[in-house]
Amino acid sequence: MFIKRKIDFNSLKTRLILGISILSITGLTGVAFAMSWQMKNRLIMSHEKHLNNLAQQIPNDVKIYQEMYSPQQALDKTIKSYSSPKTLLWIKTDQAKITTYSDNLSPEITTVENITDQPKIFNISNQYWLMCSLKISFDEKNLQTIYVAQNINDDQLLLNDLLKTLFLIIFLTNIAIIYATSTYICLALKPIDNITKTAKNISPDKLKEVSLKFNQAPTEVRKLALTIEELLLKIGESWDNQEQLLSNVSHELRTPLTIVSGYLQSLLRRGDNLTKTQKEALTIANSEAGRTVQLLQDLLELARADSGNIKLQMEIVKLSELLREIIPMAQQYSQRQITLSIEDQNINIKVDINRFKQIFLNLLDNAIKYSSDDTLIEIRVSKKEDIIIEIEDHGIGIPLAYQNRIFERFYRMDEARTRYDSGSGLGLAIVKTLVLAMNGNISLISQPQKGTIFTLKFPYE
Ligand code: ADP
């Protein structure tokens, strides 16, 4: 299929190629025209001398013949003595009457206008003639004009052939120059394309391993690529430090907060003499402490995944049994109806069981959270090229504009932020990280106010 690609006139590559092409075409074509002009002049000059000599010798010869013959006979004899099939002569009086002429002279030649004392090339009946004229007075009374025509057809055809070859060579040289420079420019700028492609696909944890291929590149591009590599290395190091810091901070905060949460819970259980307001305050403090512990737990998890420290214990299990175990866990805190339909009860899947449960509890928790109590949540399992698991709710849905972003860390839709304030926006980021770590894939289809389908794909076992 032909794909129409738009030319980007702002690109350095296009500008360089166009600039060099225009320069080479105009330069070489100019040289060709100058050469052709020069060759044509040389051709005229080589015959010009002969014609001038001829025109100047004729009056002398006429005088010599006049000593023996009448004036008209002297003219006839002189003209005939110089005539040949390739050299024709004729004499015109002031009244434009041809008095004397060569035997082979044809009327087309004598009717040519604009013959001057400067030799000029004329094409008459597909033959090239070089012609000039000379004003002369034989009898000191009447002024006459001698016309000389020299057939230069062979030379002119040779010159035309030479010019055709010259223009063909120039045309082919232009194509070769444009092709060679385009190839060179593309090769020279390829490292810049490599930098762009690499930068697009680079993930934060791979910053330090980036290698931009620039062996054949010119020095300037090599320097740029080298500088970018060094820059990425530094960013990679600072990213590592940041991850390490995040992981340390999360770890250090989680332990004391877990203890605080434990004390608050025991205080709430045993605090019979607490007032209603104190109980309410302790309940809020406990739930906020619990939420923060969960948040720290999530951050720790993501930091581990980023540094490649996520440990998975992959096992082959029966998917139907695993899902039947997970559903009651999700229903523990809500009475929502969750249905399960499996195409083949014997499908096996290779996953880390605990992480798989974590993924599903997260997705089911969202499905419960973002749909009303009277709606159904459906889980469907089917077999195609992969194992496909769909989780569908009939809740608030996710507008198209947000669908790409909800797997980002801390990303929450404004609507969800105001109405369902318990989340942190880390759940789906963790889900995606875990699914990818288990060689799976996650995507979604959603329609606002109709519901959402999260689709997970895992390879067969
Ligand atoms: P949160 O803790 O806010 O639920 P998540 O990462 O799990 O964080 O989800 C990110 C955002 O994606 C949520 O704030 C919500 O706006 C949206 N979302 C996730 N699942 C659903 C769903 N099933 N229906 C509608 N919106 C959802």
Side-chain angles (χ1 to χ4, degrees), residues 82 85 115 119 144 157 212-213 229 288 298 327 363 384 417 443 457:
Y82 284 108
I115 304 174
Q144 305 197 31
L157 289 181
L212 306 166
K213 295 166 199 79
E229 259 190 24
E288 282 305 306
D298 289 349
I327 292 170
L363 292 174
K384 291 203 172 81
R417 202 184 288 281
S443 58
K457 285 185 189 168

Side-chain angles (χ1 to χ4, degrees), residues 175-305:
I175 292 183
I177 289 178
I178 294 170
Y179 178 75
T181 46
S182 315
T183 315
Y184 179 74
I185 289 170
C186 288
L187 267 179
L189 296 182
K190 202 170 171 65
I192 296 185
D193 280 346
N194 278 346
I195 294 172
T196 317
K197 268 187 217 145
T198 315
K200 261 188 196 158
N201 300 324
I202 216 162
S203 63
D205 53 320
K206 298 275 184 305
L207 283 175
K208 287 194 293 181
E209 295 153 31
V210 172
S211 157
L212 306 166
K213 295 166 199 79
F214 49 77
N215 296 341
Q216 306 290 318
T219 316
E220 293 83 352
V221 177
R222 233 190 356 242
K223 271 188 192 161
L224 174 72
L226 212 65
T227 314
I228 292 179
E229 259 190 24
E230 284 167 11
L231 187 72
L232 289 178
L233 190 72
K234 282 183 195 153
I235 298 175
E237 278 167 7
S238 96
W239 175 266
D240 281 356
N241 291 342
Q242 196 184 316
E243 257 178 10
Q244 192 59 47
L245 178 76
L246 184 69
S247 159
N248 291 346
V249 171
S250 312
H251 189 77
E252 292 303 318
L253 287 178
R254 197 179 52 153
T255 319
L257 260 171
T258 315
I259 297 169
V260 170
S261 173
Y263 276 120
L264 286 172
Q265 276 170 24
S266 79
L267 200 62
L268 270 170
R269 252 184 276 121
R270 291 198 216 125
D272 297 334
N273 48 355
L274 292 173
T275 64
K276 194 175 165 237
T277 326
Q278 285 170 330
K279 265 193 177 167
E280 270 173 16
L282 281 175
T283 312
I284 292 170
N286 181 39
S287 100
E288 282 305 306
R291 212 167 72 90
T292 316
V293 169
Q294 184 56 48
L295 177 71
L296 291 170
Q297 175 66 34
D298 289 349
L299 279 174
L300 203 56
E301 196 110 288
L302 283 170
R304 276 191 197 131

